[in-house]
Amino acid sequence: MFTVAPARTLAPATHRSPRNGVSIALFGLGHVGSAVAGLALEPPRAARWPFRITGALVRDVHRPRPTGNAVARTSAGDSLLDPAPDVIVEALGGLEPARTLVLKAIERRIPVVTANKSLLAVHGDEVFAAAAATGTPLRYEAAVLAGVPFLGTFARRRIAASFPSFCGVVNGTTNFILTEMAASRSYSEALADAQRRGFAEPDPSNDVLGIDAAQKLAILIRHFAQCSVRADAIEATGIAGLWARDLHHAAAFGGAIKPVVAAAWDGVEVTAFAGPAFVPSSHALARIDGVQNAILLRGAPGGDLLFAGPGAGPLPTAATILDDVVEAIEDVETRTMDGGIPDVRAARPEAPVTGWFIRLTGAALAAGPDISGLLGAHGVRLRRASEEEVHDGRTAQWLTAYPCERRRLETALCALGAATGCDAFCVRELT
Ligand SMILES: NC(=O)c1ccc[n+]([C@@H]2O[C@H](COP(=O)([O-])OP(=O)(O)OC[C@H]3O[C@@H](n4cnc5c(N)ncnc54)[C@H](OP(=O)(O)O)[C@@H]3O)[C@@H](O)[C@H]2O)c1
């Protein structure tokens, strides 16, 4: 149990007039930083002021860049803070030196725009507190659903943004892999294809283990529920345990397996989880395929709201970042984006009652044990069941169960395992 603290009143910040153009110090000149530089140097007509890049922090100052020599490079981050630019854009990734440099900029009241979900998920309390204490704008629209500008919109529109829960697909890499597996490709084939196309890192652990999704979920909970939740306190499940046949049977049962995040809150408690879930085909997220991302805000006064689009990619991310730069300069009022630190520290992992998608494996399945009876004796009622089949030398059967508490399901599956020797793999149903 925990309480939600009211947002603090911010001290007014004094920002420079952008009459002579907006000067931007760029921390990072990789995929995102280069795209920001490219867009800033040749901005769309809609841009209100010209932009000027004062320099970029990189590890390797000699490596050729897509922007050629149009952007001066340095490996000394501090040098970009003096003289102070109008805004810093942090596109380094990781925790350090991003944290130190962002805090230094905030200390000097230089507005910060960041796309760094790890920084905000791990050091969010410290960074937001510093921004709130100094009244320094801190924008992070590109940290979640990078190409879909929705966080700022809802930070400014408080009536439409009063809703008690959301769910979403926030990791394009795993959504691509599961979409490919639904077309009968194996997990390793789909992952290799994602890596070939640049959708997955050479080390895909953060994506496939659910770490990236949990970090984005922590940011969304802070933003919408005004609660500070540690990303590593959120139950996150990866996708590596799924088989292509799971996706096939999910489709036969009238749904899809998607890598989802979900959270609900009531002003006292937050429940949250990140991981693969069975999504019925009537659900809006069932149609979000490939690298697309989406977020469904539920229970808003006007009804549910769905936002969908590219979750990553240098150009969509850069466009979002430059809009953040303009808003930071204009000092557009926001709620969560500039601070107002709530004080919740933990989230319950899941809603207590949900439906389930289950895969059983074990030689005993061939003998047709009374699975419905064995599970029913523990209060778990089956909705659908497939015929058993042999897959990679293992006999398997797929089931869906009506909503029940997780503890009840675990007890029932333990009893089933003891009676038949079957192993179970389960994912929640998203309602
Ligand atoms: N890629 C996307 O589509 C996307 C979308 C949304 C959000 N983001 C976020 O944006 C951030 C940047 O992503 P990215 O894809 O652009 O990464 P990236 O291509 O790896 O670029 C990172 C940049 O930061 C520099 N850098 C990293 N550590 C440094 C250090 N210790 N000292 C000096 N320079 C350092 C690198 O320098 P060198 O070039 O010399 O190595 C590089 O220019 C991450 O937080 C990511 O999560 C990315």
Side-chain angles (χ1 to χ4, degrees):
M1 302 280 272
F2 24 70
T3 52
V4 179
R8 294 187 212 169
T9 307
L10 303 184
T14 47
H15 302 304
R16 293 169 171 215
S17 157
R19 271 193 301 266
N20 301 323
V22 178
S23 59
I24 302 172
L26 209 42
F27 289 81
L29 196 60
H31 295 103
V32 171
S34 295
V36 170
L39 204 56
L41 294 172
E42 285 181 35
R45 257 201 236 144
R48 192 171 314 168
W49 307 298
F51 300 104
R52 187 163 51 84
I53 307 291
T54 59
L57 172 65
V58 293
R59 266 181 299 232
D60 179 356
V61 292
H62 301 296
R63 190 152 61 78
R65 308 283 165 168
T67 44
N69 288 327
V71 175
R73 272 112 56 202
T74 177
S75 55
D78 284 355
S79 67
L80 294 175
L81 297 175
D82 196 14
D86 291 323
V87 180
I88 73 150
V89 167
E90 186 274 304
L92 295 165
L95 300 181
E96 288 292 352
R99 170 186 160 275
T100 301
L101 290 168
V102 162
L103 288 173
K104 280 184 180 172
I106 289 172
E107 199 177 286
R108 295 172 202 199
R109 293 186 161 211
I110 304 169
V112 172
V113 174
T114 180
N116 190 336
K117 70 222 145 209
S118 308
L119 174 71
L120 297 180
V122 176
H123 295 302
D125 285 349
E126 183 183 21
V127 169
F128 281 103
T134 56
T136 305
L138 169 64
R139 302 296 152 105
Y140 51 93
E141 182 74 64
V144 188
L145 266 71
V148 186
F150 73 105
L151 290 174
T153 305
F154 277 85
R156 287 187 295 281
R157 305 188 74 83
R158 298 177 190 194
I159 297 169
S162 53
F163 52 88
S165 66
F166 65 80
C167 56
V169 172
V170 299
N171 184 277
T173 306
T174 49
N175 200 30
F176 174 83
I177 292 172
L178 295 190
T179 304
E180 291 298 301
M181 288 171 70
S184 297
R185 301 178 80 180
S186 70
Y187 170 76
S188 45
E189 281 169 352
L191 173 59
D193 194 15
Q195 286 170 320
R196 224 174 3 255
R197 294 176 187 223
F199 300 154
E201 300 283 329
D203 175 1
S205 309
N206 269 0
D207 291 324
V208 301
L209 297 178
I211 296 166
D212 175 87
Q215 290 187 338
K216 289 170 176 166
L217 180 53
I219 293 170
L220 290 170
I221 291 171
R222 176 189 292 276
H223 192 86
F224 288 126
Q226 301 273 283
C227 294
S228 170
V229 171
R230 287 167 51 114
D232 60 8
I234 295 172
E235 185 189 272
T237 314
I239 60 161
L242 285 162
W243 300 355
R245 293 301 288 163
D246 297 332
L247 283 290
H248 170 89
H249 285 285
F253 290 155
I257 294 181
K258 293 280 166 200
V260 307
V261 296
W265 58 95
D266 58 10
V268 178
E269 244 185 4
V270 182
T271 59
F273 80 91
F278 175 74
V279 181
S281 52
S282 55
H283 196 290
L285 295 185
R287 296 183 290 282
I288 304 302
D289 288 330
V291 289
Q292 288 287 99
N293 279 195
I295 186 118
L296 180 66
L297 309 176
R298 312 187 81 169
D304 291 353
L305 296 162
L306 178 71
F307 292 79
L315 195 53
T317 307
T320 298
I321 284 175
L322 278 187
D323 274 334
D324 265 357
V325 166
V326 171
E327 287 206 347
I329 291 289
E330 287 180 330
D331 214 3
V332 172
E333 193 211 350
T334 64
R335 181 177 52 182
T336 318
M337 292 195 110
D338 295 336
I341 310 303
D343 64 355
V344 177
R345 299 288 162 207
R348 282 207 296 131
E350 58 174 315
V353 174
T354 177
W356 299 92
F357 175 92
I358 304 161
R359 182 220 303 145
L360 298 176
T361 46
L365 290 170
D370 179 14
I371 294 168
S372 173
L374 285 163
L375 294 178
H378 293 272
V380 175
R381 289 192 308 127
L382 294 185
R383 196 193 312 236
R384 303 281 301 268
S386 74
E387 294 294 313
E388 77 274 2
E389 61 181 64
V390 177
H391 181 78
D392 280 347
R394 285 176 288 187
T395 307
Q397 186 172 13
W398 286 264
L399 320 163
T400 55
Y402 283 103
C404 69
E405 285 158 3
R406 175 183 171 149
R407 203 174 312 149
R408 183 182 291 275
L409 180 77
E410 284 172 349
T411 306
L413 290 172
C414 274
L416 179 73
T420 64
C422 288
D423 291 326
F425 172 88
C426 309
V427 300
R428 297 170 180 82
E429 177 174 331
L430 192 69
T431 46

